[in-house]
Amino acid sequence: MKARVHVMLKNGVLDPQGEAVRHALGALGFDGVQGVRQGKVIELDLADGTSEATVTEMCEKLLANTVIESYSVEVV
Amino acid sequence: MKARVHVMLKNGVLDPQGEAVRHALGALGFDGVQGVRQGKVIELDLADGTSEATVTEMCEKLLANTVIESYSVEVV
């Protein structure tokens, strides 16, 4: 089975990467870019029968820093 | 409007970040992790009426390195 995990900085946490992208898009002439947030996507190729709870545990223990990041798990 | 862009390394391109995550998950006792690929997700907050073609152009010009990365655009 495959799972996809999205990890994003929580709202209110400063995102310098996203801010740099927003600035660069403006410099390239793309108008109307009001905000950019950049996060991570992690695609996991797992043994069949792995539960979504196990993937959530992976997020809690390793994939996300839950102090400043939120995550979502999607089984593909 | 909001758009979400996924940028992943193309198949066949070595992904040391993903490999490090796979190794770390194994060390934490998670068995059966056969492969991990790590990519970026970029959430764009755009002016209403921005076309998907414009977002594609942003990907080609800035967000993805199309030599080694593939991208997908999703309007949310």
Side-chain angles (χ1 to χ4, degrees):
Chain A
M1 64 171 272
K2 288 190 179 243
R4 188 180 290 149
V5 174
H6 283 98
V7 180
M8 298 295 294
L9 285 167
K10 286 180 179 170
N11 286 331
V13 179
L14 203 67
D15 179 3
Q17 271 190 308
E19 200 51 32
V21 170
R22 194 185 63 78
H23 194 262
L25 285 172
L28 283 171
F30 293 103
D31 297 325
V33 182
Q34 284 145 17
V36 179
R37 304 285 285 174
Q38 185 171 325
K40 288 180 286 188
V41 55
I42 301 160
E43 290 187 355
L44 301 156
D45 196 358
L46 299 165
D48 286 338
T50 308
S51 68
E52 199 169 322
T54 307
V55 182
T56 303
E57 203 185 332
M58 290 177 185
C59 293
E60 290 284 340
K61 284 197 178 164
L62 182 76
L63 303 179
N65 175 356
T66 52
V67 177
I68 55 167
E69 291 171 331
S70 60
Y71 61 85
S72 63
V73 175
E74 179 191 350
V75 174
V76 190
Chain B
M1 63 171 271
K2 288 191 179 243
R4 187 179 292 151
V5 174
H6 283 100
V7 180
M8 299 294 294
L9 285 167
K10 286 181 180 170
N11 286 332
V13 178
L14 204 66
D15 179 2
Q17 273 190 306
E19 200 51 33
V21 170
R22 194 185 63 78
H23 194 263
L25 286 172
L28 283 171
F30 292 104
D31 297 325
V33 181
Q34 284 144 18
V36 180
R37 305 284 286 173
Q38 185 172 327
K40 288 180 287 189
V41 56
I42 301 159
E43 289 186 357
L44 301 156
D45 195 0
L46 299 165
D48 286 338
T50 309
S51 68
E52 199 170 320
T54 307
V55 182
T56 303
E57 202 184 332
M58 290 178 186
C59 293
E60 291 284 339
K61 284 197 179 164
L62 181 76
L63 303 179
N65 174 356
T66 53
V67 178
I68 55 167
E69 291 172 330
S70 59
Y71 62 85
S72 62
V73 174
E74 178 191 352
V75 174
V76 190

